[in-house]
PDB file of all heavy atoms in Angstrom:
ATOM      1  N   VAL X 329     -64.647 -73.689 -50.162  1.00 88.00           N
ATOM      2  CA  VAL X 329     -65.966 -73.262 -50.559  1.00 88.00           C
ATOM      3  C   VAL X 329     -66.821 -73.361 -49.333  1.00 88.00           C
ATOM      4  O   VAL X 329     -67.716 -72.546 -49.104  1.00 88.00           O
ATOM      5  CB  VAL X 329     -66.518 -74.243 -51.646  1.00 88.00           C
ATOM      6  CG1 VAL X 329     -67.946 -73.867 -51.964  1.00 88.00           C
ATOM      7  CG2 VAL X 329     -65.704 -74.075 -52.937  1.00 88.00           C
ATOM      8  N   HIS X 330     -66.750 -74.453 -48.530  1.00 89.00           N
ATOM      9  CA  HIS X 330     -67.580 -74.592 -47.320  1.00 89.00           C
ATOM     10  C   HIS X 330     -67.268 -73.424 -46.314  1.00 89.00           C
ATOM     11  O   HIS X 330     -68.220 -72.889 -45.646  1.00 89.00           O
ATOM     12  CB  HIS X 330     -67.225 -75.940 -46.620  1.00 89.00           C
ATOM     13  CG  HIS X 330     -67.995 -76.124 -45.405  1.00 89.00           C
ATOM     14  ND1 HIS X 330     -67.498 -75.894 -44.138  1.00 89.00           N
ATOM     15  CD2 HIS X 330     -69.322 -76.564 -45.203  1.00 89.00           C
ATOM     16  CE1 HIS X 330     -68.485 -76.248 -43.225  1.00 89.00           C
ATOM     17  NE2 HIS X 330     -69.534 -76.529 -43.842  1.00 89.00           N
ATOM     18  N   ALA X 331     -66.059 -73.073 -46.269  1.00 89.00           N
ATOM     19  CA  ALA X 331     -65.738 -71.900 -45.363  1.00 89.00           C
ATOM     20  C   ALA X 331     -66.369 -70.588 -45.823  1.00 89.00           C
ATOM     21  O   ALA X 331     -66.846 -69.839 -45.019  1.00 89.00           O
ATOM     22  CB  ALA X 331     -64.217 -71.700 -45.233  1.00 89.00           C
ATOM     23  N   ILE X 332     -66.272 -70.353 -47.115  1.00 90.00           N
ATOM     24  CA  ILE X 332     -66.882 -69.135 -47.706  1.00 90.00           C
ATOM     25  C   ILE X 332     -68.385 -69.103 -47.317  1.00 90.00           C
ATOM     26  O   ILE X 332     -68.985 -68.096 -46.947  1.00 90.00           O
ATOM     27  CB  ILE X 332     -66.585 -68.965 -49.166  1.00 90.00           C
ATOM     28  CG1 ILE X 332     -65.214 -68.693 -49.396  1.00 90.00           C
ATOM     29  CG2 ILE X 332     -67.470 -67.818 -49.756  1.00 90.00           C
ATOM     30  CD1 ILE X 332     -64.764 -68.664 -50.814  1.00 90.00           C
ATOM     31  N   ARG X 333     -69.050 -70.222 -47.607  1.00 92.00           N
ATOM     32  CA  ARG X 333     -70.476 -70.325 -47.298  1.00 92.00           C
ATOM     33  C   ARG X 333     -70.807 -70.142 -45.914  1.00 92.00           C
ATOM     34  O   ARG X 333     -71.771 -69.465 -45.436  1.00 92.00           O
ATOM     35  CB  ARG X 333     -71.046 -71.650 -47.884  1.00 92.00           C
ATOM     36  CG  ARG X 333     -71.035 -71.780 -49.356  1.00 92.00           C
ATOM     37  CD  ARG X 333     -71.512 -73.089 -49.787  1.00 92.00           C
ATOM     38  NE  ARG X 333     -71.620 -73.327 -51.231  1.00 92.00           N
ATOM     39  CZ  ARG X 333     -71.867 -74.433 -51.876  1.00 92.00           C
ATOM     40  NH1 ARG X 333     -72.070 -75.542 -51.173  1.00 92.00           N
ATOM     41  NH2 ARG X 333     -71.940 -74.443 -53.173  1.00 92.00           N
ATOM     42  N   THR X 334     -70.079 -70.801 -44.995  1.00 93.00           N
ATOM     43  CA  THR X 334     -70.334 -70.712 -43.576  1.00 93.00           C
ATOM     44  C   THR X 334     -70.038 -69.295 -43.031  1.00 93.00           C
ATOM     45  O   THR X 334     -70.934 -68.825 -42.308  1.00 93.00           O
ATOM     46  CB  THR X 334     -69.426 -71.676 -42.838  1.00 93.00           C
ATOM     47  OG1 THR X 334     -69.549 -73.042 -43.360  1.00 93.00           O
ATOM     48  CG2 THR X 334     -69.673 -71.691 -41.372  1.00 93.00           C
ATOM     49  N   ILE X 335     -69.052 -68.691 -43.421  1.00 92.00           N
ATOM     50  CA  ILE X 335     -68.755 -67.296 -42.949  1.00 92.00           C
ATOM     51  C   ILE X 335     -69.880 -66.399 -43.435  1.00 92.00           C
ATOM     52  O   ILE X 335     -70.354 -65.473 -42.707  1.00 92.00           O
ATOM     53  CB  ILE X 335     -67.405 -66.875 -43.437  1.00 92.00           C
ATOM     54  CG1 ILE X 335     -66.295 -67.742 -42.789  1.00 92.00           C
ATOM     55  CG2 ILE X 335     -67.151 -65.405 -43.119  1.00 92.00           C
ATOM     56  CD1 ILE X 335     -64.916 -67.465 -43.377  1.00 92.00           C
ATOM     57  N   TYR X 336     -70.317 -66.548 -44.682  1.00 92.00           N
ATOM     58  CA  TYR X 336     -71.289 -65.661 -45.303  1.00 92.00           C
ATOM     59  C   TYR X 336     -72.600 -65.858 -44.559  1.00 92.00           C
ATOM     60  O   TYR X 336     -73.341 -64.908 -44.215  1.00 92.00           O
ATOM     61  CB  TYR X 336     -71.457 -65.965 -46.704  1.00 92.00           C
ATOM     62  CG  TYR X 336     -72.642 -65.237 -47.350  1.00 92.00           C
ATOM     63  CD1 TYR X 336     -72.644 -63.824 -47.696  1.00 92.00           C
ATOM     64  CD2 TYR X 336     -73.833 -65.888 -47.745  1.00 92.00           C
ATOM     65  CE1 TYR X 336     -73.662 -63.204 -48.291  1.00 92.00           C
ATOM     66  CE2 TYR X 336     -74.884 -65.235 -48.271  1.00 92.00           C
ATOM     67  CZ  TYR X 336     -74.830 -63.880 -48.526  1.00 92.00           C
ATOM     68  OH  TYR X 336     -75.911 -63.267 -49.106  1.00 92.00           O
ATOM     69  N   ALA X 337     -72.979 -67.098 -44.244  1.00 93.00           N
ATOM     70  CA  ALA X 337     -74.264 -67.513 -43.626  1.00 93.00           C
ATOM     71  C   ALA X 337     -74.274 -67.022 -42.115  1.00 93.00           C
ATOM     72  O   ALA X 337     -75.250 -66.450 -41.618  1.00 93.00           O
ATOM     73  CB  ALA X 337     -74.540 -68.917 -43.618  1.00 93.00           C
ATOM     74  N   GLU X 338     -73.187 -67.090 -41.438  1.00 92.00           N
ATOM     75  CA  GLU X 338     -73.111 -66.792 -39.964  1.00 92.00           C
ATOM     76  C   GLU X 338     -72.733 -65.384 -39.661  1.00 92.00           C
ATOM     77  O   GLU X 338     -73.218 -64.802 -38.638  1.00 92.00           O
ATOM     78  CB  GLU X 338     -72.105 -67.684 -39.350  1.00 92.00           C
ATOM     79  CG  GLU X 338     -72.552 -69.158 -39.310  1.00 92.00           C
ATOM     80  CD  GLU X 338     -71.500 -70.038 -38.601  1.00 92.00           C
ATOM     81  OE1 GLU X 338     -70.446 -69.528 -38.172  1.00 92.00           O
ATOM     82  OE2 GLU X 338     -71.780 -71.282 -38.433  1.00 92.00           O
ATOM     83  N   GLU X 339     -71.898 -64.725 -40.469  1.00 91.00           N
ATOM     84  CA  GLU X 339     -71.425 -63.417 -40.165  1.00 91.00           C
ATOM     85  C   GLU X 339     -71.589 -62.302 -41.180  1.00 91.00           C
ATOM     86  O   GLU X 339     -71.389 -61.188 -40.842  1.00 91.00           O
ATOM     87  CB  GLU X 339     -69.864 -63.502 -39.983  1.00 91.00           C
ATOM     88  CG  GLU X 339     -69.465 -64.548 -38.913  1.00 91.00           C
ATOM     89  CD  GLU X 339     -67.941 -64.735 -38.876  1.00 91.00           C
ATOM     90  OE1 GLU X 339     -67.281 -63.802 -38.830  1.00 91.00           O
ATOM     91  OE2 GLU X 339     -67.467 -65.922 -38.907  1.00 91.00           O
ATOM     92  N   GLY X 340     -72.298 -62.710 -42.318  1.00 92.00           N
ATOM     93  CA  GLY X 340     -72.551 -61.729 -43.333  1.00 92.00           C
ATOM     94  C   GLY X 340     -71.477 -61.548 -44.412  1.00 92.00           C
ATOM     95  O   GLY X 340     -70.360 -62.095 -44.240  1.00 92.00           O
ATOM     96  N   LEU X 341     -71.794 -60.871 -45.459  1.00 91.00           N
ATOM     97  CA  LEU X 341     -70.855 -60.700 -46.597  1.00 91.00           C
ATOM     98  C   LEU X 341     -69.599 -59.898 -46.195  1.00 91.00           C
ATOM     99  O   LEU X 341     -68.530 -60.160 -46.666  1.00 91.00           O
ATOM    100  CB  LEU X 341     -71.600 -59.999 -47.739  1.00 91.00           C
ATOM    101  CG  LEU X 341     -70.835 -59.733 -49.024  1.00 91.00           C
ATOM    102  CD1 LEU X 341     -70.415 -61.002 -49.663  1.00 91.00           C
ATOM    103  CD2 LEU X 341     -71.574 -58.895 -50.064  1.00 91.00           C
TER     104      LEU X 341
END
Side-chain angles (χ1 to χ4, degrees):
V329 177
H330 179 261
I332 292 176
R333 290 177 177 175
T334 304
I335 294 172
Y336 173 75
E338 295 181 354
E339 306 174 47
L341 183 63

